[in-house]
Every structure is written in C-alpha cells, then in structure tokens.
C-alpha cells in the first residue's frame, strides 16, 4: 500500500577502492538499523577504507543524520578512512539543515 | 581623617583613588563628603566624585537599604556590612553590592562615617549558576537509568544513585564509605582495579578513563553480570574523585546470544532443507528415468548416470542372474580420461557371490555397505585380484557405496558408487533409496513384460494382475484406456485411504470424487492433469507431485505420481500403469523448514504479539497440524489462550468446550503442566483409545474427545532463556498424521522464536509506556499567555513503539521578552525523554543569564557534549520575541516560517545539530513582525510524514500555510493536523510538533 522506494544495501569489495556500501531508498527510523548492522559487519573486517555510496538515496531524516555521525565516529575510532558519496539534493537537505554537510566526509560521486 | 596626622595628603588621596574598592566618606548627617574613582565606577557615573544627589538618584533602593545600616554603625560604633541590590539604568541584570559602613574616630570621637563598597554581581551570578547546575546534576543523578557511582582516591564509594541501588542491591547509605572494589567488583578483578587506581594516582596513565569499556560487575550476593562502563575524573581543582556510569548489559547479551543461536539454527535448517531438496531431486530424476521405459537394462544404465550423487565419480550396476552369478549391466564414469580403466573393470570377471566382498555383504543383508578406501585392508578386501587392485588405484578412489537393488524385499542386484571424495551417511541413505527404487523398477519391468499379454482384457485378468502386483511395496494403480481406474494394489489402497472392501465396492472410475487433489502450490488438480490421463492421451508426462486429501477422513498424503503406458500388440496404448510414491514424510520435512523461515518473518514483523501468534497459528493449520493453540502465562502465572486455529472453524467450538474440562491446577507430571514446569516438550505420538477413556472425566468429556478425533498431540514450551512463558499445542486429528521427533524439533524451534518475539514485544511495550509517560510530562501543561500574541501548538506523538523521536516545545518568559524552544531529540524511548528533560531545563536555566538564542543553544550543546556514554544529539530552534522584534537561532532544525499577506518566507539560517560536533558556533538572526503575521515553528515530523506521493515536504507545508491568512493559530493547527492525517499512510513513524503564533499588534500588549 505504501509506495516507498525499496531500501537496499549492497556490500562491494574491490581491491582498488576497498570496501564499499551502496545504499538505495529511504534512510529513516525504519531502515537505520539495517544500515548500522551492515556497516558494523563491514567494519569488523578492519578495512583501511570504506566508501558509503548514497547516490541512490531518495530520502533521509534526522535519525539518518545521527546514524551517519555515529558511523563516522566509529570509523575514526577504528582508524578507518570513511568517505560518503553525496546523495541527490532531495536526500541531502537534512544534512544541510543539521550542519552535517560540512562535518561528514562527503565527496562527489 | 585619621591618617591626615601621619600621611601627606597627596599619599592619602592616592590611597583612595587607586583603591580597587569603592570608598566613601559621609558626615554625621550622612552627606557624602568624599569618594574615589572605584565608587564612581560602581555607581556607573562618569565623574570621579559622585555627590550625594547622584548617590540618591542613581540608587534609591540602595540608599534606602543603606540608611539604617549607616545609623546602626553610628549608634553602635561598630562596622555594619550589608548586601544591596540595585538595578542600574541601561543594564539588563541587577547589580549586587557588598558595603561595609564604619565610624571614623578622631581622638576618641566619632567624626564621620566611612564606607567600603564592592561589586559582587559576578560572584552572585556564579553562585546561582552553580546552585542551578548542581540541582540539575542532582536530578540527573537521581533519575538516570544507568548507575552512577562516585569513588574517591582511596577507592571508597562517595556517591551511589538510585539506579545503582537497583542494579547492585545495596542502599546508598550502606554503600557510601565502603571500598568500591569489595562492593561491586568481582573478586577476580579486584587486584587489577586496585593496581590500576594506584598506577594512575602515582602519575601513570589510565586504561579506563574516558573510554567505553565492557567489563564484569557483581551484585549483592555475588552474581556477576556484564556491564558497560565509562569513568570520568572530576576536573581539577576538585579533589581527586572518579564518577562511573554503568549500564547493565546482561539483557542485551542474552538477546545477542539468542539471536546468534537462532541464526545458527536457521542456517542448519536451511542446509538440511538444501540436502533434502537435492535428495528429492535425485530421486525424482531416478523415478523419471525408471518410469520412461520398460527396457530395464537401458534404464539401469541411465539410472547409473543420473543417480550418482554429485560427488561420485563412477557407478556400476550388477544384476543377480537365475544361477546366482552377477551380471554387470552398467558402468559410468564422469571423467572420460579414466573411462578406459572403468571399461576394463567391466571386462574383469564379475565377483562370485561366495567371497566375503562388499557386494556379497550387501546382497546378503539387503542393506547398503559403505567402504572407506583410505584403509588399506578395505582396499584389499574389495579388490578382486592384483589387476583389479591396480585399476582401483589408477582410478584414485577413496570411498564407495554398494547398495542392494531391492524388489519385494529380495536383493536382485547391486548398484555401486565410488568416488575420490568421502561418502557420508546421507549419501548412504540416498544410495539405499535409489537401490530400492531401481530394484522395484526392474521387477516392475519384468512384471510388465508378463502383463503385456494380458492387456486385451484387463477385467478378466484382474485376479492374475493382483497376484503379481498385489504384494508390491510400491503403490500401483492401473487405468484402462477409457480412463477408468481398473485396479489398485494393496499399497495403493492404503495410500489412498481406501479399505479393501471399498476398493471392490467403489464404482470404478468415480474414485477420484473421493479425494481433493492439489499440486504442490495448492492448485486443484483435475483428472485430466494427472500423468495417467496424459499417458493415455499419448503424452510422456513427467512425474507429478500431488497432495491427496481423502474427503471423508481428511487424511493427507503427498505422492509422486508416475505413469507408464502399457502398449498392446498393435502398438496402441492399452492402459496406464501408475506408480504412486509416498513422499509425505519428505514433503512435510521440507514444509516445516520453509514454515520456520516464514514464521520467523511474521514474528519479527509486528509488536502486536497476540495478533502475530494468531497469524502463526493460522499458518500452522492445516499445513502442519489440524488444530493449534497458543497459551501464554501472564504476570501472575495464569494461563491465557491467545490463539487457537482449527482446520475446520466449526470445531473451534469443540476446542472451547474441551477447555472447560481442564482442571484448575494442572498435573505437573504430564501434558501442559509438565511442559510449563520443566520447559521441555511433550509428545503423544499416537493416542490409543484407552488413553482417551482414561483421560476422560465423564461420558460427555469422552464423547467430546472422540468428536475432536485427537490422534496425536505435541506441546512445545515457549522458552526465553530459562523462563517458560507459554506453550504451543499442536493436535493432529482429521489428517490422520501423527507427530514424530522431527515435528518436536520443529515445534520447539517455532515455539522458541515465538517466545522471543513475545518477550521482545512485551519489553518493548513496557518501555513504550514509560517513554510515553515521561514524554507527556515533558510538555508544558498549557501554553502561557503572551501579551500581543496568540499561540497554539500541535503535538502528534509517533504511532507506536519506543522509537519516540522525543519532540518537545517550551515557551517561557524572560525579563522583557519571551523564549520559545522547539526541538527533537533523536534517540529511543526513555533515554530520549530523559535527554529532552535535560535539554529543556538547561535551556531555561541558560536563558536567565544569556538571553540570546545562539547563546542558549551553545549552553545546551556544551551540556550535551559532557561525559555521556552514547552520542546524544538534538535539533532545536530557539526564538526570542521582544515587541515587534524576533531573534532566532537554529541548531540542526528546520527553519520557522513567517506568513505575511499570504507570502510564506523562511526565517534565519541553518546551524549545526546540538551535541553532534566539536567546536561549532551558532548565529542569531533578527526579524520583524507586524500585526497579522503568523510565525510557525515545526519539527521535521511534519515534513517527513509519509503519504501516497512520497513525503509531505516543505512545499506542501508552504502551500497550506499560504492559504491560512486571517486564521487564528488554533485553526491553522487544526488545518495542518487534518492535512497530515489525510496525507499520511500507515502508522506515524516519528513525533510531529508545531507551534503556531500570530502577532496581534502592539496595542494589545
């Protein structure tokens, strides 16, 4: 009934770029735990670098922002270099509202 | 005056003028005769010598308070000290002064009055702030969910909050002053605790301070449990003291371990289902081959090819001849390079069944034999002479299986598999099954050859047919070319639930009416779709999996139906021979596995566990059981039936009536009583009549029990760790099945998953209630009246669950203005509510000292970034109203909207989220308001509301507000709520709050 973009996380590894999570759909209260679990699982292998590809993000809310702040802290603790590929404008709004746009390691995809 | 005797006047003047303390001299009529620059600064007057008029004009209140003190000083001849407050013009905060009046004597006579004055405003403010901060700390200390324990440098407990009392089991009064190590640290860790403390105090580094560590703690009574600990040291110059925040992780770890265990069980079940599927696939391929032709030698060669388990390299088939010799009819090898060696094996004389070989063993016992060629002795035993041994070595075999071909419980040959991998018990079972089927097929083929001649008149030769087919283990039916069923053997009658007399009485052809037949997807099957009909139509249908339910009794069987044509003399199809293979057990095992996965998904989907359990019960019936009941124990240990499902809804009534016969006190030794007491399953595989008679209380009860037709009962406990919170009862009746050990394992897994789901849901609901109560208490009871403004608020808490976003708003007066704060604490349940409380009170306190919104946000941010165990963030908007001016600052919060003459504009600019980042600052933005303006402050719950076309969004909100011109705030709130409600689809995910204000204009102020 609810027309929502299917939330999907895909983990990819390649030798050149290290570990990579591709996230698609809405990142909100309902889907935050899924991303958190996937990220923790990825991090448990101590990768030197992780890329979080948010180009497929259709929406994010404040819980999504909070999660990314947490993940960025976690990556720092684990001496893992994190980069976040900037989501499309609509999903990026909440990062601008929260001031996380300048704090999180966003890069253009 | 006094000093004039000994000091030069310029020195005296300098003494006064340079003094940091305000100095004044009054004559005996209290007229100010002298004063210094410090006093002028105190008085806020530009000139260095305030006269008496300035004194009275500038600080009338001060003068009023000062007069009595001055008199007292003169009357008593002693110094009198007062503290006075004044509100200097042009300053927002009151000034506090400490003034000492003293008589000045000359030659024993009081000649004048002196005064020393000092501004203590900063001290007082600091003191108040300190008192407020300490009240805040006290409140947090008392209300914190985590234990907070203080310890001094000697390792003694200095603080012990209520959560710590609950967690460790000591009252604070008892704990304080004791050695922390002896109280809450397990004996095994005490030494390292003491050493660590000593090392740190001796100038070493701490491995604990400022980190989150997982460690084991101890309760009163010695129970050890996992905790998460954060320790902070009070900053200098406070005496050395440590504060520990302790969180009980035992529940969390249980849940983690539980999930791990369930996952492992899930994986195991999947793997077993996978093997099951492979096995079914091999068997079905074998069946297909066996049914495809009556040339059994060609068929056996094909079987050898397809039946090899995936890891087997080669396969041989030998048939026992009339004279007792073995004739090899098939050899296959997957590796063509080694086919030559395999070919040579074929040419070697077949072993004589006299020797003690694996083949003779299999033939003699009728059971398959597993050979392990890693063992030299076994190789020697299996080899038939040196050349054979050489060939075996060349083929590099490591293990082999020899399975007898069985027909009518006689071994008529062997099928052997060999591999360079190692076979296991599963492969052995599969080989046995293939052997059984191939044996039957050979026998059938031989029989078919015999029956061919009888095809002309099946009716007449029925007796003959029966003598041949009757004792076959396989169920066989024969359909004549007119499509009517002309023959069932005994196995077929049994499989189809027909008694022998029924078989002979059934009007031939109408037998299909007695069954409901479905394919594996539950689609009804017509006679035309059955392989027999298709064979008669000249097709070559593949075997078909059929679910067959006898209408009269409800007995359910899964059958693999294969059909072969019987070809007459002229090459025409005379009849269809159907072989029905009973795969009920395999099918059920597969269904159980699939069911578990499905049930797990349902169980984790909703928090309404009673409905969820009803759904699961509905799924169980009729696939697994004919009747299913779920009972849960409530807080008092009473049983409540929360779900019951029956294959026949009308029988639900019987179930209810049966419950009335249950005794108040269950027998703890059997049935439900035993399950709830021991937490172990009870299985009643087959309930004979006399057990029913025994169990019946009276004749009526017995009647009822018989009506229900209970054949088999399985009660599985719903366990969470060591607790049993309920039980699932499965009853088999109509279907005629009986539960076995496989069902017990299945039911236990299901019950356990259900138990965990129920437990989680209960815990969750409890937490949700607490969170809701807390949050309700966090909103102001009623909005205050602000002069010149009308205000209304919208508050829609999230639909369900403890994922409370923690939205809040607050509105309070300052000295000459009003402060509005709207915020959203991201986090969960009680923690979010506690944090909300902290944020609100910090903001209120801070605003008393620093009324600029950006400063208030800075204070809140600083508080949130203090030592807290987890990342706490909050979005907030602070807005100060002062006449027609507004000032606002946003911290990670959507910007407020101002509606003026139908035009909607955003006010202010984005600022960083509170508590989230290091070294960030906030900006104030000013704006003006005019009469009729609306100012709307909202949380992201408004714009994030999910509807058909996506999210509600800012554009919809702006459009809605643009059309609200002339409406009172209460009406705007109503419109907004209606718009959100009609837009929203599904449960509301997040809190939603909005405050709408309309400026009426200064005249109303």
């Amino acid at each position: 009934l609810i027309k929502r973009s299917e939330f999907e996380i895909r983990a990819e590894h390649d030798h050149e770029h290290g570990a990579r999570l591709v996230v698609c759909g809405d990142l909100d209260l309902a889907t935050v735990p899924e991303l958190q679990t996937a990220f923790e699982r990825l991090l448990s292998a101590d990768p030197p670098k992780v890329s979080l590809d948010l180009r497929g993000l259709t929406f994010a809310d404040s819980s999504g922002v909070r999660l990314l702040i947490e993940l960025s802290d976690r990556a720092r603790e684990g001496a893992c270099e994190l980069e976040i590929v900037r989501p499309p404008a609509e999903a990026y709004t909440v990062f601008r509202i929260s001031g996380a746009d300048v704090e999180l390691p966003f890069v253009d995809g | 005056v006094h000093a004039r005797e000994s000091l030069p006047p310029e020195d005296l003047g300098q003494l006064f003028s340079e003094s940091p303390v305000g100095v004044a001299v009054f004559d005996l009529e209290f007229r100010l005769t002298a004063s210094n620059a410090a006093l002028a600064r105190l008085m806020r007057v530009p000139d260095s010598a305030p006269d008496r008029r300035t004194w009275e004009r500038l600080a009338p209140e001060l003068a009023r308070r000062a007069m009595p003190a001055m008199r007292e000083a003169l009357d008593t001849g002693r110094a009198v000290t007062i503290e006075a407050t004044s509100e200097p013009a042009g300053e927002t905060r009151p000034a506090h002064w400490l003034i000492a009046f003293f008589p000045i004597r000359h030659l024993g006579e009081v000649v004048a009055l002196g005064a020393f004055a000092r501004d203590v405003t900063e001290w007082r403010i600091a003191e108040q702030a300190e008192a407020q901060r300490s009240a805040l700390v006290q409140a947090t200390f008392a209300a914190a969910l985590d234990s907070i324990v203080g310890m001094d440098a000697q390792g003694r407990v200095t603080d012990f909050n209520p959560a710590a009392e609950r967690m460790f089991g000591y009252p604070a009064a008892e704990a304080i002053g004791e050695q922390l190590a002896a109280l809450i640290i397990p004996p095994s860790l005490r030494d390292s605790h003491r050493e660590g403390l000593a090392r740190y105090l001796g100038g070493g580094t701490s491995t604990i301070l400022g980190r989150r560590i997982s460690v084991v703690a101890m309760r009163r009574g010695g129970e050890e449990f996992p905790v998460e600990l954060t320790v902070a040291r009070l900053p200098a110059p406070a005496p050395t003291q440590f504060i520990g925040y302790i969180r009980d992780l035992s529940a969390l770890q249980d849940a983690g371990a539980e999930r791990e265990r369930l996952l492992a069980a899930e994986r195991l079940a999947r793997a077993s289902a996978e093997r099951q599927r492979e096995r079914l696939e091999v068997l079905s391929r074998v069946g297909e081959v066996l049914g495809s032709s009556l040339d059994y030698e060609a068929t056996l060669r094909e079987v050898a090819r397809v039946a090899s388990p995936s890891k087997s390299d080669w396969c041989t088939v030998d048939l026992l001849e009339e004279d007792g010799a073995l004739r090899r009819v098939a050899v296959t090898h997957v590796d063509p390079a080694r086919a030559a060696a395999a070919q040579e094996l074929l040419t070697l004389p077949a072993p004589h069944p006299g020797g003690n070989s694996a083949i003779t063993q299999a033939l003699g016992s009728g059971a398959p034999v597993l050979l392990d060629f890693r063992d030299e002795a076994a190789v020697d035993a299996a080899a038939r002479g040196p050349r054979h041994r050489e060939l075996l070595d060349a083929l590099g075999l490591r293990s082999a299986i020899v399975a007898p071909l069985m027909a009518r419980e006689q071994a008529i040959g062997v099928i052997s598999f060999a591999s360079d991998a190692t076979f296991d018990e599963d492969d052995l079972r599969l080989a046995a099954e293939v052997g059984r089927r191939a044996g039957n097929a050979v026998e059938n083929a031989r029989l078919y050859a015999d029956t061919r001649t009888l095809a002309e008149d099946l009716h007449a030769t029925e007796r003959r047919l029966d003598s041949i087919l009757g004792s076959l283990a396989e169920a066989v039916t024969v359909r004549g070319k007119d499509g009517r069923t002309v023959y069932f053997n005994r196995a077929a009658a049994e499989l189809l639930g027909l008694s022998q007399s029924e078989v002979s009485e059934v009007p031939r052809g109408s037998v299909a009416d007695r069954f409901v037949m479905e394919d594996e997807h539950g689609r009804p099957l017509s006679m035309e779709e059955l392989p027999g009909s298709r064979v008669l139509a000249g097709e070559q249908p593949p075997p078909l999996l059929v679910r067959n339910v006898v209408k009269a009794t409800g007995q359910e069987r899964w059958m693999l139906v294969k059909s072969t044509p019987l070809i007459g003399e002229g090459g025409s199809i005379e009849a269809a021979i159907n072989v029905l293979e009973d795969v009920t057990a395999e099918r059920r095992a597969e269904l159980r596995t699939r069911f578990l996965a499905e049930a797990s998904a349902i169980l984790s989907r909703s928090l309404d566990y009673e409905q969820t359990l009803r759904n699961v019960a509905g799924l169980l019936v009729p696939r697994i059981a004919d009747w299913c009941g779920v009972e849960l124990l409530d807080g008092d240990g009473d049983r409540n039936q929360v779900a019951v499902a029956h294959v026949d809804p009308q029988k639900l009534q019987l179930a209810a009536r049966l419950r009335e016969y249950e005794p108040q006190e269950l027998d703890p030794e059997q049935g439900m009583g035993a399950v709830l007491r021991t937490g172990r399953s009870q299985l009643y595989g087959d309930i004979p009549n006399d057990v029913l008679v025994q169990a019946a209380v009276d004749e009526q009860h017995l009647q009822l029990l018989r009506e229900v037709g209970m054949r088999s009962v399985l009660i599985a406990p719903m366990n969470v760790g060591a607790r049993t919170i309920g039980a699932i009862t499965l009853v088999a009746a109509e279907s005629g099945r009986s539960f076995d050990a496989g069902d017990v394992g299945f039911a236990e897994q299901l019950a356990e998953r259900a138990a965990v789901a129920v437990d989680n849901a209960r815990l969750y609901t409890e937490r949700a209630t607490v969170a809701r109560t807390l949050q309700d208490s966090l909103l102001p009871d009623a909005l205050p009246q602000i002069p010149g403004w009308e205000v209304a608020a919208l508050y829609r808490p999230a639909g369900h669950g403890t994922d409370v976003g923690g939205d809040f708003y607050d509105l309070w007066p300052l000295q000459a203005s009003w402060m509005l704060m709207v915020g959203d604490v991201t986090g969960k349940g009680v923690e979010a509510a506690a944090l909300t409380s902290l944020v609100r009170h910090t903001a209120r306190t801070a605003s008393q000292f620093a009324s600029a919104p950006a400063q208030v946000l800075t204070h809140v941010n600083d508080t949130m970034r203090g030592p807290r165990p987890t990342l706490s963030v909050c979005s907030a908007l602070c807005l100060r109203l002062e006449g027609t001016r507004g000032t606002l600052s946003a911290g990670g919060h959507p910007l407020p909207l101002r509606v003026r003459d139908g035009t909607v504009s955003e006010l202010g600019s984005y600022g960083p989220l509170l508590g989230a980042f290091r070294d960030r600052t906030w900006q104030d933005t000013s704006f003006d308001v005019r009469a009729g303006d609306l100012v709307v402050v909202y949380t992201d719950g408004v714009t994030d509301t999910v509807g058909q076309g996506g999210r509600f969004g800012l554009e919809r909100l702006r459009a809605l507000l643009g059309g609200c011109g002339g409406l009172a705030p209460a009406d705007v709130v109503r419109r907004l709520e209606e718009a959100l409600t009609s837009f929203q689809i599904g449960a509301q995910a997040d809190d939603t709050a909005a405050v709408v204000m309309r400026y009426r204009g200064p005249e109303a102020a």
Side-chain angles (χ1 to χ4, degrees), chain B residues 5-191:
Chain B
E5 303 295 305
S6 49
L7 279 175
E10 57 271 26
D11 288 350
L12 193 68
Q14 197 171 5
L15 180 69
F16 277 132
S17 62
E18 296 300 316
S19 166
V21 174
V23 180
V25 179
F26 300 88
D27 64 18
L28 294 177
E29 264 83 55
F30 307 128
R31 280 185 297 258
L32 186 67
T33 55
S35 67
N36 68 349
L39 188 72
R41 279 197 301 276
L42 228 67
M43 293 293 201
R44 276 67 169 173
V45 286
D47 54 343
S48 57
D51 58 15
R52 181 177 172 179
R53 267 222 315 280
T54 6
W55 170 258
E56 285 175 348
R57 196 187 65 235
L58 285 179
E61 198 265 346
L62 179 65
R64 256 198 317 280
R65 288 269 291 116
M67 237 9 159
M70 291 163 90
R71 272 208 191 90
E72 192 187 335
L74 280 188
D75 293 349
T76 61
R78 281 201 306 270
V80 175
T81 305
I82 60 161
E83 187 177 338
T85 309
S86 104
E87 290 180 17
E91 285 184 36
T92 52
R93 59 186 194 187
H96 295 271
W97 293 342
L98 204 62
I99 312 175
F101 295 102
F102 53 90
I104 300 173
R105 288 169 221 273
H106 182 61
L107 304 172
E109 282 291 308
V110 174
V111 294
L113 192 66
F116 290 145
R118 179 157 206 175
D119 187 336
V120 291
T121 310
E122 292 300 330
W123 294 356
R124 285 285 170 266
I125 287 178
E127 232 172 70
Q128 275 177 16
E130 182 54 36
Q132 242 141 352
R133 194 171 307 131
S134 108
L136 199 67
V137 168
Q138 274 308 318
T140 311
F141 181 76
L145 290 168
D146 293 338
S147 291
I148 304 177
V149 175
M151 182 187 81
D152 64 14
Q154 282 73 46
R156 288 185 302 240
V157 174
T158 55
D159 300 274
F160 209 69
N161 78 339
E165 294 182 327
R166 289 192 295 275
M167 187 180 294
F168 296 105
Y170 299 97
E174 205 175 305
I176 289 171
E178 293 298 316
Q179 277 294 318
L180 178 96
L183 214 56
I184 64 171
I185 297 180
S188 57
L189 298 176
R190 281 178 201 159
D191 284 346

Side-chain angles (χ1 to χ4, degrees), chain B residues 233-432:
Chain B
R233 186 193 158 155
L234 289 195
T240 305
Q241 198 186 348
F242 304 91
I243 300 290
Y245 302 83
I246 307 160
R247 174 167 301 183
D248 189 342
L249 292 184
S250 42
L252 216 68
Q253 289 213 337
D254 285 354
E258 187 65 22
R259 204 176 53 226
E260 276 306 308
R261 215 179 46 70
L262 283 179
L263 277 178
E266 185 84 44
R267 275 195 296 275
L268 215 63
R270 281 229 180 103
S272 124
E274 191 55 30
R275 277 204 303 279
Q276 196 79 252
R277 198 185 56 71
E278 270 173 22
R279 186 164 168 252
L280 275 174
E281 216 171 87
V282 168
L283 288 181
S284 130
R285 282 208 314 262
V286 168
E288 220 167 299
V289 169
L290 288 173
S292 64
S293 159
L294 285 176
D295 175 354
Y296 64 83
E297 294 204 9
T299 305
L300 286 174
R301 282 194 288 279
E302 193 60 13
V303 167
R305 198 180 60 77
V306 302
S308 306
S310 50
K311 54 189 171 186
S312 114
D313 292 329
W314 68 289
C315 172
T316 62
V317 182
D318 303 273
L319 281 181
L320 205 52
E321 297 289 273
E322 299 272 319
D323 60 359
L326 280 173
R327 183 165 60 89
R328 177 148 299 177
V329 294
V331 164
T332 59
H333 202 294
V334 290
D335 179 2
R338 284 187 276 175
Q343 187 62 37
E344 195 184 338
L345 270 179
L346 183 67
T347 61
L348 280 177
H352 198 274
N356 183 24
S357 72
I359 290 182
T360 49
Q361 206 182 317
L363 285 173
S365 65
V369 177
L370 181 63
L371 289 172
D372 190 348
F373 294 145
R374 287 171 303 177
D375 177 4
E376 285 289 319
V379 179
D380 287 335
R384 304 188 295 268
R387 178 60 190 149
H388 196 209
R389 171 74 201 255
E390 247 173 72
L391 285 171
L392 279 178
D393 286 343
L395 289 169
L397 300 177
R398 299 187 63 182
S399 70
I401 291 172
V402 182
L405 303 180
M406 300 296 290
R408 285 192 277 178
E409 298 178 12
Q410 287 287 315
I412 60 165
V414 288
I415 182 164
S416 314
F417 303 95
S419 170
D420 55 9
T422 311
F423 288 126
D424 60 17
E425 290 294 320
D426 271 345
D427 299 316
L428 193 66
R429 274 194 290 279
L430 181 59

Side-chain angles (χ1 to χ4, degrees), chain A residues 3-21:
Chain A
K3 254 198 195 150
R4 292 179 61 176
S5 326
E6 201 66 33
F7 187 72
E8 197 188 320
I9 302 173
R10 213 167 55 241
E12 292 175 355
H13 291 266
D14 71 67
H15 293 297
E16 203 180 330
H17 303 103
R20 176 182 170 86
L21 277 183

